[in-house]
């Protein structure tokens, strides 16, 4: 192997000395707020989404505390009936904000905007994204959108569910207008980020990096971006129409005026189903990287994984009606959407099989990223398989809007995306900050998260199929045991996540200095020092092998006596 | 292979993170096309809403649209098409490095856009004077009914309003190009910004070409 | 505490086992068999795939764990045969699931002609269940005969609701602008829960009720009884019954408790402050307006959450309700907090 410029030590091209890294390159708060460096913007996103994750997570804990017992108690002050009615209102706001914040503020920007921003240019071997100023603008648009949502929270709150179904969202007294404006603006941030990534991948790949030499993470981000630019505009217009609905009573979604609430649902899910793949595809990309790098194995079925991402991106636009089997859409539509739903499961199945096959014959290290990789395979598979129950028409008639659905989407979103996000954070932590986190602490954290997560959400499958509706503040006594288990689980989960946050942050001070390529990976982000210099590479790298070619590296590492 | 630190032989308009001018131009163009794609998708949501209305309440649409003056709409269509032409001429002028021509054509485009907005202003105020407001503010409550004209006008104002916002943004961007042209920024080796502005402006025009028959010429 | 909880949980399991399965509630309609069959099929399939995949994963992870730096790794990059197999097999299985679900779904939508007609109307936050052929109307209670087809026509007067009977495995949204519905044949007598499954605001979680399945004899008796019977406008409790029938009690207490709406006892003849600060004295006309056009003036401190009853109450009924509110005694409850 010649100049794939990967090395176990510092880069040996041009500059033998370490150049000052991007964090120390400039000083002062302004150098962050006005930066156009994709790495710094990525970190600013990371700070923001972590905060919102914490915030939405705390709301989730409140939800769980209220659901510990069948009665209204945690949120109610006293046993009086008036207190219960009030507490139900509060509960409705809490779960709505939990869902809306998790979806719009946390999970959609989570992997793409933080790690995508940081690593996409590095992985294609570019100095920055195609439009650095636009990138910074996306961040501020995100912040403005978030402010709208915060404004909504601080004034009258929001109690529509994250889906904003009409006509309830038209008549409720809460801050629907501010919230839809917020989500509308956040949508633009997401569109612009997607646009930036697409152009970067098309036009800024380093010499020699053909499409099939791109790391799979890039394929995933690329597919995600395609969905972002195709689906998000429709969400934007939907929310705008809802906004005008509240402001002027336009009537298209309002049955009292002659409009149709089912039309709203079509509009909403046309975006929001593809959006679930916006959430999961980057996670898929992360898992491909983690599994290969930490088992030192070439990915199994590169092309199948890359193309299945694109297939998912396209088919995902045709299945939105599976959220509406009982909404009063036509019987034919139900049958059609059910069929297409199963079609979209096949490319995902291919990925899962390929990851497991990748492990075959590898050299697997049980470090924290790999732990999260394996946990992902466990939890996401459960989440995906339970999607099949929901896609089956008659079974969904029973399960729709029950806790089974709640469990399904937490298994794919929390058990899929968030787990992948955690794995990715550990995988790339040394590169981002130039520090190693504490490996033992990491393993412990991942185990806590694993146990807590399953304890929280597995009982919810049983709750749902046995007849517990979602969005219920109080419930029948027969469900108490399972709900209590779920609440206990959420405590372990919260403990695991807090622990993770603590040792990761602690690594800034106590972590060992990270080498340029601590895992012996072969993609370009490891070809520069840790943390990278401001312009990423000393020299535009040249690529002549694919990113999962680990053999040579191992040898060169061994030769350098490095391990 | 270009060197990141070799700033000496750097073309004037090349941003630091690109290796070659070609790459920068191709990126800007691709970016613009993708953006236009998102715009089309956004408007297509509104067109779907329109289709719904038309399917549900064809008679209402037929009656309500008569309250619009198709002559004003037609006039505006002509104005916008003209501006598209001058915009195209401006791009041509930029490519040729003809600064004077570029500035003139941009100016005409801006004037056309302003005429469009003025006509819209009179259309809107004319409607308001007759109590034609969107949705629940439409005339008297007794003029509103299930599937009544308030819905048509709700959509009318939303669609033309959103389009109008795009025209306003267009005016801003073209004016910015005008200023930059004054600073001699454009020439045969650097006209992508004007070209992209042109693309945007053609899209705004195109959307109107759909809006006009759908709203003013319902049959 | 944990012990008692485990006890409860165990109890729950046993109970569920007695009435239904580990996953599913009792089967009480003809559809339940099909739904549960498909559920079990997917469940078994999932378990097979999940356990198989996890076993492989753990096996590989342990067998190929890294023991030394120069550990050789397999050069395997892909295998067309494998990839074809693991695309084709799931595709076939998925098609089976689809076809199964689709077949039963069509059956669910094919209503037999002879079905008993029942009207289900959702309103914030109660269900009103009418039997046009029997002249009965129940609140939050669906009574059906065993083994006879029943057809529900579902609608809503305000926002979306959804009528879910887990024991029947059936659910359909209630829309304000369209009738939806489903049919079923109950297969087991008993008392089962029903829920509102579409989020509808404050009291969504208490918009629940019961389904009673009666055998032929009990059904006959019920039909003849005056349970859920039409109301007698001359009866002394006419207004009170209407108050329940139209779900006023879901939002209004008559004992001075503040629920979603203000308590209605002792308001008659007293001044009320409106949201815009104006003062109104509660008289017949005010009550009439408050019920027919509730959003015309909003009581201070409350949300405009009350649906209109215009067109739903006859004049006779309206008068009955107003008379009832008038005679509600008690201390003047503070409607304004
Ligand atoms: C990350 C997000 C994510 C992902 C990836 C998915 C993936 C899938 N989802 Fe999920 N879904 C959500 C997020 C997501 N979902 C959310 C948020 C909701 C609820 C929204 C709300 O109402 O609030 C929802 C709701 C939802 C519904 C509507 C339920 C209802 O409200 O009634 C349905 C119905 O079809 C569904 C189906 C599926 C299917 C079939 C997949 C498939 O893509 C899964 C494919 C994966 C596998 C199949 C597993 C791996 C494969 C194997 C191990 C191979 C072997 C298997 C075979 C035999 C094929 N989902
Ligand atoms: C990304 C998506 C996401 C995530 C991660 C979660 C996470 C969690 N959710 Fe979420 N949830 C939704 C999306 C999500 N949820 C959505 C969309 C809904 C539907 C809303 C609706 O119906 O409208 C919902 C609804 C929902 C319900 C149903 C409410 C109802 O129907 O009545 C419940 C109930 O248990 C619940 C619980 C939880 C719990 C316990 C967690 C836990 O996993 C949370 C754990 C997190 C913490 C405790 C925070 C700790 C964090 C730190 C310490 C910071 C560290 C930071 C880093 C390391 C980066 N959620
Ligand atoms: Cu009615 Cu929920
Ligand atoms: Cu979906």
């Amino acid at each position: 192997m010649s100049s794939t410029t990967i090395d176990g030590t510092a880069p040996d091209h041009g500059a033998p000395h370490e150049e000052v890294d991007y964090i120390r390159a400039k000083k002062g708060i302004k150098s962050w707020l006005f930066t156009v460096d994709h790495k710094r913007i990525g970190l600013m996103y990371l700070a923001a989404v972590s905060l919102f994750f914490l915030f939405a997570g705390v709301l989730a804990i409140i939800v769980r505390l209220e659901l510990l017992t069948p009665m209204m108690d945690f949120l109610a002050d006293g046993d009086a009936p008036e207190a219960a009615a009030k507490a139900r209102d509060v509960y409705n706001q809490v779960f709505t904000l939990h869902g809306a914040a998790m979806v719009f503020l946390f999970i959609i920007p989570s992997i793409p905007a933080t790690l995508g921003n940081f690593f996409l240019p590095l992985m294609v071997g570019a100095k920055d994204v195609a439009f650095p100023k636009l990138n910074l603008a996306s961040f501020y648009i995100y912040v403005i959108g978030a402010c709208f949502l915060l404004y909504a929270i601080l004034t009258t709150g929001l109690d529509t569910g994250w889906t904003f179904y009409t006509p309830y969202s038209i008549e409720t007294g809460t801050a629907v207008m501010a919230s839809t404006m917020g989500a509308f603006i956040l949508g633009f941030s997401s569109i612009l980020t997607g646009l930036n990534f697409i152009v970067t991948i098309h036009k800024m790949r380093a010499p020699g990096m053909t499409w099939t030499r791109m790391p799979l993470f890039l394929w995933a981000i690329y597919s995600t971006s395609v969905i972002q630019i195709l689906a998000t505009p429709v969400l934007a217009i939907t929310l705008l129409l809802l906004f005008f609905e509240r402001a002027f009573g336009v009537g298209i979604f309002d049955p009292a005026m002659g409009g149709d609430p089912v039309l709203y649902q079509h509009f909403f899910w046309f975006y929001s189903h593809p959006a679930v793949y916006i959430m999961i595809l980057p996670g898929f990309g992360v898992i491909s990287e983690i599994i290969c790098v930490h088992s030192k194995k070439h990915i199994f079925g590169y092309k199948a994984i890359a193309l299945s991402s694109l297939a998912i991106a396209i088919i995902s636009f045709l299945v939105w009606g599976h959220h509406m089997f009982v909404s009063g859409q036509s019987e034919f539509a139900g049958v059609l959407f059910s069929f297409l739903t199963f079609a979209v499961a096949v490319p995902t199945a291919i990925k899962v099989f390929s990851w497991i096959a990748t492990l075959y014959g590898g050299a697997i290290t049980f470090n924290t990223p790999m732990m999260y990789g394996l946990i992902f395979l466990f939890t996401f598979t459960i989440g995906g398989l339970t999607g099949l129950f929901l896609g089956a028409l008659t079974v969904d008639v029973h399960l729709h809007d029950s806790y089974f659905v709640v469990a399904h989407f937490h298994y794919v979103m929390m058990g899929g995306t968030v787990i992948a996000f955690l794995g990715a954070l550990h995988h790339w932590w040394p590169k981002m900050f130039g520090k190693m986190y504490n490996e033992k602490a990491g393993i412990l954290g991942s185990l806590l998260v694993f146990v807590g997560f399953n304890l929280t959400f597995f009982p919810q499958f049983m709750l749902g199929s046995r007849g517990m509706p979602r969005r219920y503040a109080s419930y029948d006594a027969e469900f108490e045991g399972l709900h209590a288990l779920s609440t206990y689980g959420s405590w372990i989960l919260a403990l695991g996540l807090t622990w993770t946050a603590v040792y990761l942050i602690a690594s800034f001070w106590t972590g060992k200095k990270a080498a340029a390529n601590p895992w012996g990976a072969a993609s370009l982000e490891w070809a520069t020092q840790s943390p990278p210099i401001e312009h990423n590479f000393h020299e535009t790298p040249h690529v002549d092998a694919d990113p999962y070619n680990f053999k040579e590296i191992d040898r060169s590492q061994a030769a350098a006596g490095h391990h | 292979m270009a060197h990141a630190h070799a700033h000496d032989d750097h073309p004037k308009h090349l941003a630091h993170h690109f290796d070659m001018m070609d790459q920068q131009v191709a990126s800007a163009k691709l970016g613009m096309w993708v953006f236009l794609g998102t715009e089309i998708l956004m408007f297509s949501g509104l067109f779907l809403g329109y289709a719904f209305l038309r399917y549900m309440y064809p008679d209402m649409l037929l009656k309500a649209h008569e309250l619009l003056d198709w002559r004003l709409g037609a006039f505006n269509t002509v104005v916008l098409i003209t501006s598209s032409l001058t915009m195209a001429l401006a791009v041509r002028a930029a490519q040729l490095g003809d600064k004077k021509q570029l500035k003139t054509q941009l100016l005409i485009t801006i004037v056309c856009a302003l005429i469009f907005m003025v006509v819209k202003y009179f259309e809107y105020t004319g409607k308001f004077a007759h109590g034609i407001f969107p949705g629940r503010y439409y005339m008297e409550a007794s003029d509103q009914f299930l599937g009544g004209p308030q819905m048509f006008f709700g959509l009318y104002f939303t669609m033309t309003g959103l389009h109008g916002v795009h025209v306003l943004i267009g005016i801003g961007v073209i004016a910015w190009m005008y200023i930059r042209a004054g600073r001699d920024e454009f020439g045969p080796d650097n006209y992508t910004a004007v070209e992209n502005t042109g693309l945007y402006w053609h899209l705004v025009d195109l959307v109107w070409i759909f809006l006009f028959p759908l709203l003013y010429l319902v049959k | 505490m944990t012990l008692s909880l485990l006890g409860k949980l165990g109890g729950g399991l046993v109970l569920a086992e007695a009435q239904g399965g580990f996953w599913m509630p009792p089967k009480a309609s003809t559809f339940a068999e099909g739904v549960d069959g498909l559920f079990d099929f997917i469940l078994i399939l999932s378990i097979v795939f999940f356990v198989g995949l996890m076993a492989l994963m753990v096996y590989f992870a342990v067998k190929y764990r890294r023991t030394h730096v120069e550990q050789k790794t397999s050069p395997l990059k892909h295998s067309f045969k494998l990839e074809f197999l693991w695309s084709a097999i799931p595709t076939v299985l998925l098609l089976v699931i689809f076809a199964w679900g689709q077949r039963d779904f069509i059956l669910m939508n094919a209503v037999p002609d002879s079905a008993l007609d029942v009207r289900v109307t959702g309103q914030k936050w109660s269900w009103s269940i009418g039997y046009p052929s029997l002249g009965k109307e129940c609140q939050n209670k669906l009574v059906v005969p065993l083994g006879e087809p029943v057809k529900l026509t579902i609608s809503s007067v305000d926002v979306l609701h959804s009528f879910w009977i887990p024991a029947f495995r059936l659910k359909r949204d209630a829309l304000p602008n369209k009738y939806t519905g489903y049919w079923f044949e109950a297969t087991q007598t008993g008392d089962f829960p029903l829920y509102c499954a579409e989020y509808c605001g404050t009291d969504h979680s208490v918009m629940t009720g019961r389904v009673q399945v009666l055998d032929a004899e009990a059904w006959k008796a019920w039909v003849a009884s005056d349970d859920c019977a039409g109301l007698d406008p001359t009866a002394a409790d006419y207004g009170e019954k209407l108050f329940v029938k139209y779900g006023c009690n879901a939002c209004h207490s008559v004992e001075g408790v503040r629920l979603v709406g203000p308590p209605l006892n002792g308001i008659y003849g007293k001044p009320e402050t409106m949201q815009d600060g104006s003062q109104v004295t509660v008289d017949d006309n005010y009550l009439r307006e408050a019920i027919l056009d509730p959003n015309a003036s909003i009581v201070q401190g409350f949300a405009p959450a009350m649906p209109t009853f215009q067109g739903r109450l006859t004049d006779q009924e309206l008068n009955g309700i107003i008379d009832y509110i008038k005679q509600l005694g008690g201390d003047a409850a503070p409607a304004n907090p």
Side-chain angles (χ1 to χ4, degrees), chain A residues 269 272-274 276-277 319-320 322-323:
Chain A
W269 290 114
S272 289
H273 181 81
V276 310
Y277 293 100
V319 308
W320 76 88
H322 68 204
H323 297 272

